[in-house]
PDB file of all heavy atoms in Angstrom:
ATOM      1  N   MET A   7      -6.301  10.192  -2.719  1.00 98.00           N
ATOM      2  CA  MET A   7      -5.255  10.156  -3.789  1.00 98.00           C
ATOM      3  C   MET A   7      -5.500  11.306  -4.762  1.00 98.00           C
ATOM      4  O   MET A   7      -6.571  11.355  -5.422  1.00 98.00           O
ATOM      5  CB  MET A   7      -5.324   8.783  -4.506  1.00 98.00           C
ATOM      6  CG  MET A   7      -5.186   7.597  -3.621  1.00 98.00           C
ATOM      7  SD  MET A   7      -5.096   6.013  -4.488  1.00 98.00           S
ATOM      8  CE  MET A   7      -6.750   6.007  -5.227  1.00 98.00           C
ATOM      9  N   ASN A   8      -4.572  12.234  -4.823  1.00 98.00           N
ATOM     10  CA  ASN A   8      -4.648  13.398  -5.701  1.00 98.00           C
ATOM     11  C   ASN A   8      -3.563  13.324  -6.757  1.00 98.00           C
ATOM     12  O   ASN A   8      -2.577  12.665  -6.610  1.00 98.00           O
ATOM     13  CB  ASN A   8      -4.567  14.674  -4.905  1.00 98.00           C
ATOM     14  CG  ASN A   8      -5.653  14.855  -3.924  1.00 98.00           C
ATOM     15  OD1 ASN A   8      -6.778  14.451  -4.130  1.00 98.00           O
ATOM     16  ND2 ASN A   8      -5.302  15.476  -2.776  1.00 98.00           N
ATOM     17  N   ASN A   9      -3.797  14.065  -7.819  1.00 98.00           N
ATOM     18  CA  ASN A   9      -2.797  14.105  -8.888  1.00 98.00           C
ATOM     19  C   ASN A   9      -2.380  12.725  -9.329  1.00 98.00           C
ATOM     20  O   ASN A   9      -1.161  12.390  -9.443  1.00 98.00           O
ATOM     21  CB  ASN A   9      -1.605  14.961  -8.547  1.00 98.00           C
ATOM     22  CG  ASN A   9      -0.700  15.267  -9.703  1.00 98.00           C
ATOM     23  OD1 ASN A   9      -1.147  15.247 -10.855  1.00 98.00           O
ATOM     24  ND2 ASN A   9       0.549  15.510  -9.392  1.00 98.00           N
ATOM     25  N   LEU A  10      -3.340  11.853  -9.602  1.00 98.00           N
ATOM     26  CA  LEU A  10      -3.059  10.474  -9.936  1.00 98.00           C
ATOM     27  C   LEU A  10      -2.303  10.339 -11.253  1.00 98.00           C
ATOM     28  O   LEU A  10      -2.560  11.146 -12.199  1.00 98.00           O
ATOM     29  CB  LEU A  10      -4.310   9.665  -9.986  1.00 98.00           C
ATOM     30  CG  LEU A  10      -4.911   9.295  -8.638  1.00 98.00           C
ATOM     31  CD1 LEU A  10      -6.389   8.936  -8.723  1.00 98.00           C
ATOM     32  CD2 LEU A  10      -4.110   8.156  -8.004  1.00 98.00           C
ATOM     33  N   LYS A  11      -1.451   9.396 -11.321  1.00 98.00           N
ATOM     34  CA  LYS A  11      -0.623   9.133 -12.519  1.00 98.00           C
ATOM     35  C   LYS A  11      -0.878   7.700 -13.022  1.00 98.00           C
ATOM     36  O   LYS A  11      -1.311   6.855 -12.229  1.00 98.00           O
ATOM     37  CB  LYS A  11       0.851   9.262 -12.186  1.00 98.00           C
ATOM     38  CG  LYS A  11       1.255  10.628 -11.568  1.00 98.00           C
ATOM     39  CD  LYS A  11       2.672  10.668 -11.123  1.00 98.00           C
ATOM     40  CE  LYS A  11       3.030  12.022 -10.537  1.00 98.00           C
ATOM     41  NZ  LYS A  11       4.484  12.053 -10.093  1.00 98.00           N
ATOM     42  N   PRO A  12      -0.629   7.425 -14.305  1.00 98.00           N
ATOM     43  CA  PRO A  12      -0.802   6.075 -14.787  1.00 98.00           C
ATOM     44  C   PRO A  12      -0.051   5.015 -13.997  1.00 98.00           C
ATOM     45  O   PRO A  12      -0.539   3.911 -13.869  1.00 98.00           O
ATOM     46  CB  PRO A  12      -0.280   6.163 -16.218  1.00 98.00           C
ATOM     47  CG  PRO A  12      -0.560   7.574 -16.622  1.00 98.00           C
ATOM     48  CD  PRO A  12      -0.291   8.364 -15.389  1.00 98.00           C
ATOM     49  N   GLY A  13       1.107   5.395 -13.428  1.00 97.00           N
ATOM     50  CA  GLY A  13       1.891   4.462 -12.628  1.00 97.00           C
ATOM     51  C   GLY A  13       1.187   4.112 -11.296  1.00 97.00           C
ATOM     52  O   GLY A  13       1.667   3.176 -10.647  1.00 97.00           O
ATOM     53  N   ASP A  14       0.116   4.817 -10.943  1.00 98.00           N
ATOM     54  CA  ASP A  14      -0.645   4.464  -9.717  1.00 98.00           C
ATOM     55  C   ASP A  14      -1.626   3.356  -9.980  1.00 98.00           C
ATOM     56  O   ASP A  14      -2.278   2.865  -9.035  1.00 98.00           O
ATOM     57  CB  ASP A  14      -1.354   5.721  -9.190  1.00 98.00           C
ATOM     58  CG  ASP A  14      -0.429   6.787  -8.759  1.00 98.00           C
ATOM     59  OD1 ASP A  14       0.615   6.493  -8.133  1.00 98.00           O
ATOM     60  OD2 ASP A  14      -0.693   7.960  -9.048  1.00 98.00           O
ATOM     61  N   THR A  15      -1.843   2.936 -11.234  1.00 98.00           N
ATOM     62  CA  THR A  15      -2.779   1.904 -11.549  1.00 98.00           C
ATOM     63  C   THR A  15      -2.372   0.625 -10.861  1.00 98.00           C
ATOM     64  O   THR A  15      -1.240   0.114 -11.011  1.00 98.00           O
ATOM     65  CB  THR A  15      -2.798   1.668 -13.061  1.00 98.00           C
ATOM     66  OG1 THR A  15      -3.357   2.845 -13.685  1.00 98.00           O
ATOM     67  CG2 THR A  15      -3.703   0.506 -13.423  1.00 98.00           C
ATOM     68  N   ALA A  16      -3.300   0.042 -10.081  1.00 98.00           N
ATOM     69  CA  ALA A  16      -3.004  -1.167  -9.264  1.00 98.00           C
ATOM     70  C   ALA A  16      -4.270  -1.560  -8.542  1.00 98.00           C
ATOM     71  O   ALA A  16      -5.231  -0.773  -8.508  1.00 98.00           O
ATOM     72  CB  ALA A  16      -1.874  -0.952  -8.327  1.00 98.00           C
ATOM     73  N   VAL A  17      -4.249  -2.747  -7.975  1.00 98.00           N
ATOM     74  CA  VAL A  17      -5.227  -3.158  -6.972  1.00 98.00           C
ATOM     75  C   VAL A  17      -4.709  -2.615  -5.639  1.00 98.00           C
ATOM     76  O   VAL A  17      -3.560  -2.919  -5.248  1.00 98.00           O
ATOM     77  CB  VAL A  17      -5.466  -4.649  -6.920  1.00 98.00           C
ATOM     78  CG1 VAL A  17      -6.432  -4.969  -5.773  1.00 98.00           C
ATOM     79  CG2 VAL A  17      -5.985  -5.129  -8.269  1.00 98.00           C
ATOM     80  N   TYR A  18      -5.519  -1.916  -4.924  1.00 98.00           N
ATOM     81  CA  TYR A  18      -5.128  -1.315  -3.640  1.00 98.00           C
ATOM     82  C   TYR A  18      -5.738  -2.123  -2.481  1.00 98.00           C
ATOM     83  O   TYR A  18      -6.951  -2.391  -2.504  1.00 98.00           O
ATOM     84  CB  TYR A  18      -5.567   0.160  -3.550  1.00 98.00           C
ATOM     85  CG  TYR A  18      -4.679   1.089  -4.335  1.00 98.00           C
ATOM     86  CD1 TYR A  18      -4.649   1.054  -5.720  1.00 98.00           C
ATOM     87  CD2 TYR A  18      -3.817   1.982  -3.688  1.00 98.00           C
ATOM     88  CE1 TYR A  18      -3.839   1.865  -6.443  1.00 98.00           C
ATOM     89  CE2 TYR A  18      -2.944   2.795  -4.364  1.00 98.00           C
ATOM     90  CZ  TYR A  18      -2.967   2.757  -5.754  1.00 98.00           C
ATOM     91  OH  TYR A  18      -2.144   3.596  -6.492  1.00 98.00           O
ATOM     92  N   TYR A  19      -4.902  -2.492  -1.542  1.00 98.00           N
ATOM     93  CA  TYR A  19      -5.294  -3.277  -0.401  1.00 98.00           C
ATOM     94  C   TYR A  19      -5.076  -2.517   0.911  1.00 98.00           C
ATOM     95  O   TYR A  19      -4.080  -1.868   1.072  1.00 98.00           O
ATOM     96  CB  TYR A  19      -4.465  -4.547  -0.334  1.00 98.00           C
ATOM     97  CG  TYR A  19      -4.563  -5.508  -1.517  1.00 98.00           C
ATOM     98  CD1 TYR A  19      -3.702  -5.346  -2.622  1.00 98.00           C
ATOM     99  CD2 TYR A  19      -5.521  -6.499  -1.577  1.00 98.00           C
ATOM    100  CE1 TYR A  19      -3.783  -6.197  -3.689  1.00 98.00           C
ATOM    101  CE2 TYR A  19      -5.606  -7.325  -2.651  1.00 98.00           C
ATOM    102  CZ  TYR A  19      -4.739  -7.188  -3.691  1.00 98.00           C
ATOM    103  OH  TYR A  19      -4.803  -7.999  -4.783  1.00 98.00           O
ATOM    104  N   CYS A  20      -6.055  -2.615   1.833  1.00 97.00           N
ATOM    105  CA  CYS A  20      -5.764  -2.149   3.162  1.00 97.00           C
ATOM    106  C   CYS A  20      -5.368  -3.353   4.024  1.00 97.00           C
ATOM    107  O   CYS A  20      -5.684  -4.489   3.740  1.00 97.00           O
ATOM    108  CB  CYS A  20      -6.970  -1.441   3.773  1.00 97.00           C
ATOM    109  SG  CYS A  20      -8.403  -2.405   4.087  1.00 97.00           S
ATOM    110  N   ALA A  21      -4.592  -3.045   5.050  1.00 96.00           N
ATOM    111  CA  ALA A  21      -4.026  -4.105   5.911  1.00 96.00           C
ATOM    112  C   ALA A  21      -4.021  -3.648   7.353  1.00 96.00           C
ATOM    113  O   ALA A  21      -4.014  -2.448   7.618  1.00 96.00           O
ATOM    114  CB  ALA A  21      -2.587  -4.503   5.451  1.00 96.00           C
ATOM    115  N   ALA A  22      -3.942  -4.605   8.269  1.00 93.00           N
ATOM    116  CA  ALA A  22      -3.912  -4.320   9.677  1.00 93.00           C
ATOM    117  C   ALA A  22      -2.812  -5.182  10.330  1.00 93.00           C
ATOM    118  O   ALA A  22      -2.585  -6.303   9.978  1.00 93.00           O
ATOM    119  CB  ALA A  22      -5.263  -4.625  10.353  1.00 93.00           C
ATOM    120  N   ASN A  23      -2.123  -4.583  11.336  1.00 91.00           N
ATOM    121  CA  ASN A  23      -1.080  -5.247  11.992  1.00 91.00           C
ATOM    122  C   ASN A  23      -0.761  -4.661  13.369  1.00 91.00           C
ATOM    123  O   ASN A  23      -0.999  -3.472  13.557  1.00 91.00           O
ATOM    124  CB  ASN A  23       0.215  -5.227  11.124  1.00 91.00           C
ATOM    125  CG  ASN A  23       1.158  -6.398  11.410  1.00 91.00           C
ATOM    126  OD1 ASN A  23       0.758  -7.529  11.452  1.00 91.00           O
ATOM    127  ND2 ASN A  23       2.440  -6.035  11.572  1.00 91.00           N
ATOM    128  N   ALA A  24      -0.162  -5.460  14.270  1.00 88.00           N
ATOM    129  CA  ALA A  24       0.162  -4.959  15.573  1.00 88.00           C
ATOM    130  C   ALA A  24       1.367  -4.030  15.510  1.00 88.00           C
ATOM    131  O   ALA A  24       1.542  -3.178  16.356  1.00 88.00           O
ATOM    132  CB  ALA A  24       0.430  -6.108  16.518  1.00 88.00           C
ATOM    133  N   VAL A  25       2.246  -4.247  14.519  1.00 90.00           N
ATOM    134  CA  VAL A  25       3.400  -3.443  14.314  1.00 90.00           C
ATOM    135  C   VAL A  25       3.400  -2.902  12.883  1.00 90.00           C
ATOM    136  O   VAL A  25       3.215  -3.678  11.981  1.00 90.00           O
ATOM    137  CB  VAL A  25       4.700  -4.217  14.598  1.00 90.00           C
ATOM    138  CG1 VAL A  25       5.921  -3.362  14.338  1.00 90.00           C
ATOM    139  CG2 VAL A  25       4.714  -4.761  16.003  1.00 90.00           C
ATOM    140  N   ALA A  26       3.723  -1.616  12.709  1.00 91.00           N
ATOM    141  CA  ALA A  26       3.714  -1.040  11.376  1.00 91.00           C
ATOM    142  C   ALA A  26       5.055  -1.254  10.705  1.00 91.00           C
ATOM    143  O   ALA A  26       6.107  -1.060  11.279  1.00 91.00           O
ATOM    144  CB  ALA A  26       3.389   0.460  11.471  1.00 91.00           C
ATOM    145  N   THR A  27       5.023  -1.618   9.457  1.00 94.00           N
ATOM    146  CA  THR A  27       6.210  -1.855   8.669  1.00 94.00           C
ATOM    147  C   THR A  27       5.922  -1.613   7.187  1.00 94.00           C
ATOM    148  O   THR A  27       4.777  -1.746   6.771  1.00 94.00           O
ATOM    149  CB  THR A  27       6.752  -3.312   8.889  1.00 94.00           C
ATOM    150  OG1 THR A  27       7.817  -3.565   7.950  1.00 94.00           O
ATOM    151  CG2 THR A  27       5.618  -4.311   8.613  1.00 94.00           C
ATOM    152  N   VAL A  28       6.950  -1.296   6.423  1.00 96.00           N
ATOM    153  CA  VAL A  28       6.798  -1.121   4.980  1.00 96.00           C
ATOM    154  C   VAL A  28       6.760  -2.380   4.234  1.00 96.00           C
ATOM    155  O   VAL A  28       6.436  -2.403   3.014  1.00 96.00           O
ATOM    156  CB  VAL A  28       7.884  -0.162   4.402  1.00 96.00           C
ATOM    157  CG1 VAL A  28       7.879   1.210   5.128  1.00 96.00           C
ATOM    158  CG2 VAL A  28       9.235  -0.820   4.519  1.00 96.00           C
ATOM    159  N   HIS A  29       7.066  -3.534   4.869  1.00 97.00           N
ATOM    160  CA  HIS A  29       7.146  -4.782   4.203  1.00 97.00           C
ATOM    161  C   HIS A  29       5.817  -5.526   4.228  1.00 97.00           C
ATOM    162  O   HIS A  29       5.342  -5.887   5.305  1.00 97.00           O
ATOM    163  CB  HIS A  29       8.236  -5.656   4.851  1.00 97.00           C
ATOM    164  CG  HIS A  29       9.577  -5.024   4.857  1.00 97.00           C
ATOM    165  ND1 HIS A  29      10.286  -4.734   3.706  1.00 97.00           N
ATOM    166  CD2 HIS A  29      10.336  -4.573   5.858  1.00 97.00           C
ATOM    167  CE1 HIS A  29      11.432  -4.181   4.026  1.00 97.00           C
ATOM    168  NE2 HIS A  29      11.532  -4.062   5.329  1.00 97.00           N
ATOM    169  N   PRO A  30       5.173  -5.763   3.106  1.00 97.00           N
ATOM    170  CA  PRO A  30       3.835  -6.373   3.109  1.00 97.00           C
ATOM    171  C   PRO A  30       3.852  -7.770   3.687  1.00 97.00           C
ATOM    172  O   PRO A  30       2.778  -8.177   4.251  1.00 97.00           O
ATOM    173  CB  PRO A  30       3.476  -6.419   1.646  1.00 97.00           C
ATOM    174  CG  PRO A  30       4.760  -6.304   0.889  1.00 97.00           C
ATOM    175  CD  PRO A  30       5.681  -5.456   1.729  1.00 97.00           C
ATOM    176  N   GLY A  31       4.927  -8.486   3.604  1.00 96.00           N
ATOM    177  CA  GLY A  31       4.968  -9.847   4.164  1.00 96.00           C
ATOM    178  C   GLY A  31       4.764  -9.969   5.636  1.00 96.00           C
ATOM    179  O   GLY A  31       4.414 -11.045   6.146  1.00 96.00           O
ATOM    180  N   TYR A  32       4.881  -8.868   6.368  1.00 95.00           N
ATOM    181  CA  TYR A  32       4.768  -8.895   7.821  1.00 95.00           C
ATOM    182  C   TYR A  32       3.381  -8.516   8.309  1.00 95.00           C
ATOM    183  O   TYR A  32       3.106  -8.551   9.537  1.00 95.00           O
ATOM    184  CB  TYR A  32       5.820  -8.022   8.445  1.00 95.00           C
ATOM    185  CG  TYR A  32       7.219  -8.572   8.304  1.00 95.00           C
ATOM    186  CD1 TYR A  32       8.072  -8.014   7.419  1.00 95.00           C
ATOM    187  CD2 TYR A  32       7.658  -9.652   9.058  1.00 95.00           C
ATOM    188  CE1 TYR A  32       9.394  -8.490   7.234  1.00 95.00           C
ATOM    189  CE2 TYR A  32       8.914 -10.135   8.936  1.00 95.00           C
ATOM    190  CZ  TYR A  32       9.791  -9.556   8.036  1.00 95.00           C
ATOM    191  OH  TYR A  32      11.088 -10.081   7.910  1.00 95.00           O
ATOM    192  N   TRP A  33       2.476  -8.055   7.459  1.00 95.00           N
ATOM    193  CA  TRP A  33       1.130  -7.660   7.845  1.00 95.00           C
ATOM    194  C   TRP A  33       0.253  -8.877   7.974  1.00 95.00           C
ATOM    195  O   TRP A  33       0.300  -9.754   7.128  1.00 95.00           O
ATOM    196  CB  TRP A  33       0.598  -6.607   6.852  1.00 95.00           C
ATOM    197  CG  TRP A  33       1.285  -5.321   7.013  1.00 95.00           C
ATOM    198  CD1 TRP A  33       2.558  -5.020   6.571  1.00 95.00           C
ATOM    199  CD2 TRP A  33       0.800  -4.128   7.617  1.00 95.00           C
ATOM    200  NE1 TRP A  33       2.883  -3.701   6.870  1.00 95.00           N
ATOM    201  CE2 TRP A  33       1.794  -3.169   7.530  1.00 95.00           C
ATOM    202  CE3 TRP A  33      -0.422  -3.794   8.256  1.00 95.00           C
ATOM    203  CZ2 TRP A  33       1.636  -1.861   8.007  1.00 95.00           C
ATOM    204  CZ3 TRP A  33      -0.583  -2.502   8.723  1.00 95.00           C
ATOM    205  CH2 TRP A  33       0.452  -1.569   8.616  1.00 95.00           C
TER     206      TRP A  33
END
């Protein structure tokens, strides 16, 4: 993560799934 901004403040989670999707509910 470069050029970090205040809006990047969060808890960051890694996830694994058989199919990649942008929707967190499917991981």
Side-chain angles (χ1 to χ4, degrees):
M7 305 185 295
N8 297 326
N9 192 23
L10 283 161
K11 304 175 180 180
D14 297 318
T15 295
V17 176
Y18 283 70
Y19 300 90
C20 67
N23 205 47
V25 178
T27 172
V28 302
H29 303 295
Y32 291 104
W33 289 73

